Amino acid sequence: MRRLPDAASRGKSITMDLEGETVPAIEGEPVACSLIAAGESVLARSIKYHRARGPYCFSGACSHCLMRVDGLPNVYTCRVPARDGMKLERQNAYPSAKVDVFEAIDWFFPKGLDHHEMFAGVPVAEQVMAKVARQLAGLGLLPTAPAPERLPVETVRTRVAVVGAGAAGLAAAQVLAAQGLPFLLLERDSVLGGRLLSGVPEADAPPPPAEGLLAPERVRTRVTVIGLFDDEEGHLLAAVSEGTGEPRLVRVYAERFLLAPGGHPPMLPFENNDLPGVYASHAASLLVRRYGVAPETAALVGSGPELYALARLMTERGTKVVAVVDLKGSPPADAPAGAVHGSEPKAHGHNAVSGFSYQDASGRRVKVACDAVLVAVAPSPSFELARQGGAKVEYDEAREVFAVVADAEGRTEAPDVYVAGDVRGARSAAQAAADGRRAAEALVQSLTQAAVGGKS
Amino acid sequence: MSKALVCSCEDVTVEDIRHAVAKGFRDVESVKRFTGFGTGVCQGKSCLSAVGALLAREKAQKPEGIVPFTPRPPLYPTELSLLASFPVDESKPPVGGVPQELDTFPATLRPEGAVPTRARVVIVGGGVLGLALAYNLSLRGETDVVVLERGYLCAGASGRNGGGVRMQWGTAANIELAKRSIELMGRFARDLGINVWLRQGGYLFMAKTKAVAERLERNAALHNKHGVPTRMLTLDEARDVVPGLSLEGAQAVSYNPEDGVIFPWPFLWGYANACRKAGIQVETYTRVTGFELSDGLVRKVKTDRGDISCDTVVLASGAWSPEVAKLAGVSLPNEPHRHEILSTEPLKPFLGPLVSVLDSGLYFSQSMRGEIVGGMGDPLEPAGLNMGSTLRFVSRFARALTEQLPNLGHVKVLRQWAGCYDVTPDNSPILGRTPGLENLLQLSGFVGHGFMMAPAVAERMAQWMTTGASDELFTRFNLRRFQEGKLEREDMIIG
């Protein structure tokens, strides 16, 4: 990965301490982003086979970028803003993450390691293994100091709580604002817009949110919702707010919940899909659009319109795209030149991607050299909150994801839970926005009816 | 080395998923437990859909049978210190909880075909007690046995507990049973071919009130009488056993180094595999819908896959036992009580024993995988089969835990879940024949500890069932005692 030469200055240049070495960074940029831009591709070692890992999803949905940061274990470095002098350590490796002797485990067990049956019944080996396994298990070290006293929990009561300020959540919020209904929009990122700002560009996508689109008191950024619970007062969202620096717990009670949290970048299973240098399309587009960081050469693999749109984006920003492999079928007529239908993708390299291969339509294995493999497949709906709120979730065979079951207006099995956007199964930004609007309108109507019903 | 990863948090490969399917674990919940996918830091965010797609492609499951595992809170790893800041009104009982879909297993998950029309023994409940009994019956030559389980293996309390196994009890019967159980657990891998990873790091009990301290001291003497090396520790000694442990307010500490922790899930698979190998049918996703009774005997067990006529029925349904017993017109004094528990991110080993504050019911240990696993009872928890998760629990637990080990404040919770204790009026199990229905045998009411008692109880029960030799266990803990007022009170209950 490299910083694009034309990238505008994005912040103050600072340095961080990576296991005694000084690495350059940009203040406020995610730590993992600064690290890969500085050429540090191995950030972690995996828990069992000690495989080299670099960031994959850039959305806190995988575990590839976990490091010990300022003495705290398992920090998502893809989410934490870089600060001057930050102390970073790689975990789970000896003597170092670059040369880890435990990597041998990966080689000793080419067919995998079944700890249920391993050495079962071999008296001495079994006891020795139990001791060894205990020492090898775990990720990260116990912090050396207690946490500070936390700020008291903040309680918010509103009529509608909207989760996620992507295309769907923003469209919904605009409808609610227009109706004059008190609502609160919660966004995990520091900015509103989701993929409108950092996703793979789509031709028919709505414009990114303009400054002042929503009244400031209606919006909270850097708020991570952790659950949709209930207590004696009814449903509530529990969230961790980092808006003011010190994290604090917030509970949001509402009459209706409009959930538009989008999806998680999934793992596409193929050989060496966890090598540093393999990135989810979301990560690649975020890195290039927001931080001006991109690979020199990349192979793209996946399916659907996102694959081709990503190829165009990367090419435009100077990455040499050496392969575009569609796993589901022949590329459409308007696909970038060189795109092919292929199968059995594989990433090559020891501790980082150095190549990519696939089987072409004629059954021939094709290999290309590259320093990144970008995986473009539909996101996995983040259905967790909806399900916790009582909505039904089903397997969508065609899209190969679990999605929330809802009617056209976003109503779920739970009367107070509405959903919109990718959480219903992959949607384009335009579809997500339309979802958001419809769901907000249906929700407003349900509140109005409830009010009328209440009076009669 | 070239590997295709599905769940990169736990290094689960495509081959691991195929291996699980080949072993008969064909639904998402079972594959999750067998392979460990989705149990790591990201809790399935990046792997769940990929596993669903793999199961569909492998034809392990029909599309309608591909249902996701229940996503447990928190959605993202959350520090204990933050969870501890949530205010709890201790005077109000807990309400609701995020729904746990255990009553809605889709019919497509049910195995095809009917259950056998006849079996000498039908065991209702495929938890650890039912399976351990079936296995022990097979050791004694009785293999005409069917085990009925309403969900997947590990769906009930046996798959939801903290894995603690201890000899520190308050009654001679429990001490002896636990001693034998731990002995059998130590041999489990050799006997049954699957590792349960018994780690005897000890149990450290703390008492914060005078009354509980006296109880610990009294019980330690009883333990020693039964050959259990429990000793009372000074506070300095306790600090050596658990560095960093706050002993503020501790009045007494007892410690038995031979207590330990095992990994609960393989315990069931080990028994189930051995049962199947012996020709016993373990029928998952099969629900008992009723019983046919005549002349004071159960003649048939009715299920949603057909009826089974039988000579003996064993009720080993744990927290569901009152519900099932009612189908036979039997009223049990058992009550299901939700017990919540959580697991943190995995850390390198730093905690040897399981630590418990007996007064509050707080307990925690570090699992073989490195996670802190622990729970705490709630005195106001209402009775009922509720397995939902509450903020109230994580908050109370986080506060109590960080009070004992302050350095855990920054440690993040990965998931919380709940299971049901099967509580009896005297905290002791219900065993033996049912008055009025002689061939309905009771094997429940273990108040959250059936898991650790199973190997020894099953051994005694199989012996008793196959030889007819009398065993005081099945008279002492008989259902009759509640009418006769001869209760068997156990006072070392956590939670």
Side-chain angles (χ1 to χ4, degrees), chain A residues 59-442:
Chain A
S59 57
C62 74
S63 58
H64 292 205
C65 71
L66 299 180
M67 298 180 87
R68 186 173 169 93
V69 177
D70 291 334
L72 300 186
N74 303 326
V75 173
Y76 278 118
T77 56
C78 74
R79 309 262 332 152
V80 173
R83 279 192 321 271
D84 196 31
M86 213 169 206
K87 200 167 174 316
L88 308 172
E89 293 160 272
R90 297 179 175 103
Q91 306 181 126
N92 212 31
Y94 179 83
S96 76
K98 283 183 181 169
V99 196
D100 179 13
V101 295
F102 297 117
E103 203 181 27
I105 297 171
D106 196 9
W107 296 85
F108 273 128
F109 297 96
K111 291 198 183 307
L113 191 158
D114 178 354
H115 57 271
H116 302 314
E117 290 174 11
M118 189 178 59
F119 301 114
V122 188
V124 179
E126 183 200 314
Q127 277 159 25
V128 172
M129 266 320 291
K131 286 212 167 66
V132 173
R134 163 102 166 144
Q135 293 310 313
L136 287 177
L139 193 65
L141 302 170
L142 179 70
T144 48
E149 184 71 24
R150 296 302 184 186
L151 294 167
V153 169
E154 185 191 351
T155 303
V156 180
R157 282 168 224 279
T158 181
R159 296 204 73 189
V160 185
V162 184
V163 177
L170 279 173
Q174 282 169 270
V175 171
L176 299 174
Q179 298 280 337
L181 206 65
F183 71 93
L184 186 64
L185 175 61
L186 305 169
E187 168 56 44
R188 192 165 178 244
D189 205 342
S190 53
V191 288
L192 304 183
R195 69 173 128 177
L196 302 177
L197 282 183
S198 54
V200 177
E202 295 169 40
D204 59 348
E211 193 76 24
L213 178 75
L214 297 166
E217 70 273 16
R218 296 274 160 247
V219 182
R220 297 272 191 102
T221 55
R222 297 196 70 207
V223 174
T224 301
V225 177
I226 58 167
L228 179 47
F229 292 92
D230 59 357
D231 67 9
E232 50 277 1
E233 289 185 53
H235 266 148
L236 74 147
L237 290 170
V240 176
S241 164
E242 291 173 285
T244 51
E246 276 302 297
R248 82 190 294 178
L249 207 62
V250 183
R251 50 180 171 171
V252 181
Y253 292 93
E255 292 167 56
R256 298 285 183 278
F257 297 86
L258 204 163
L259 307 177
H264 309 298
M267 289 290 283
L268 178 67
F270 60 84
E271 280 185 70
N272 292 329
N273 57 345
D274 61 332
L275 257 188
V278 178
Y279 294 94
S281 58
H282 164 87
S285 61
L286 173 86
L287 286 170
V288 70
R289 289 185 71 184
R290 196 182 289 178
Y291 304 112
V293 170
E296 298 261 4
T297 52
L300 273 63
V301 60
S303 58
E306 195 166 352
L307 175 67
Y308 303 106
L310 183 67
R312 285 187 206 99
L313 171 69
M314 299 314 291
T315 308
E316 265 168 35
R317 302 301 296 269
T319 294
K320 191 172 170 217
V321 174
V322 290
V324 179
V325 179
D326 193 321
L327 297 174
K328 287 247 167 105
S330 296
D334 61 346
V340 294
H341 177 211
S343 60
E344 292 177 44
K346 177 176 178 175
H348 297 264
H350 179 50
N351 273 352
V353 166
S354 62
F356 174 75
S357 68
Y358 62 96
Q359 194 165 298
D360 72 8
S362 63
R364 204 165 48 95
R365 193 115 206 125
V366 181
K367 189 173 173 185
V368 292
C370 57
D371 55 16
V373 174
L374 311 182
V375 178
V377 289
S380 285
S382 174
F383 64 78
E384 299 88 347
L385 297 173
R387 170 86 174 256
Q388 287 166 8
K392 201 172 164 199
V393 175
E394 267 177 10
Y395 183 66
D396 181 330
E397 228 184 320
R399 294 179 174 131
E400 299 190 319
V401 294
F402 292 99
V404 179
V405 178
D407 70 7
E409 274 75 45
R411 290 183 199 91
T412 69
E413 272 194 0
D416 57 347
V417 176
Y418 289 67
V419 289
D422 274 350
V423 69
R424 313 187 52 173
R427 295 285 211 266
S428 70
Q431 286 168 329
D435 270 2
R437 273 190 296 277
R438 273 200 305 271
E441 280 157 11

Side-chain angles (χ1 to χ4, degrees), chain A residues 46 49 51 53 64 73-74 92 106 116-118 130 134 139-140 150 226 230 267 271-273 380 388, chain B residues 1-3 5 8 11 19 23 34 46 49 75 79 81 97 99 101 195 345-346 348 351 368 412:
Chain A
S46 75
Y49 299 119
R51 291 166 69 89
R53 292 275 166 80
H64 292 205
N74 303 326
N92 212 31
D106 196 9
H116 302 314
E117 290 174 11
M118 189 178 59
R134 163 102 166 144
L139 193 65
R150 296 302 184 186
I226 58 167
D230 59 357
M267 289 290 283
E271 280 185 70
N272 292 329
N273 57 345
S380 285
Q388 287 166 8
Chain B
M1 184 50 61
S2 205
K3 285 190 172 76
L5 277 293
S8 51
D11 270 350
H19 177 64
K23 292 243 163 203
F34 193 73
S46 62
S49 59
L75 176 50
E79 287 189 8
S81 60
E101 303 199 3
N195 287 313
E345 60 191 324
K348 291 287 173 198
L351 175 64
M368 196 69 188
K412 298 181 277 303

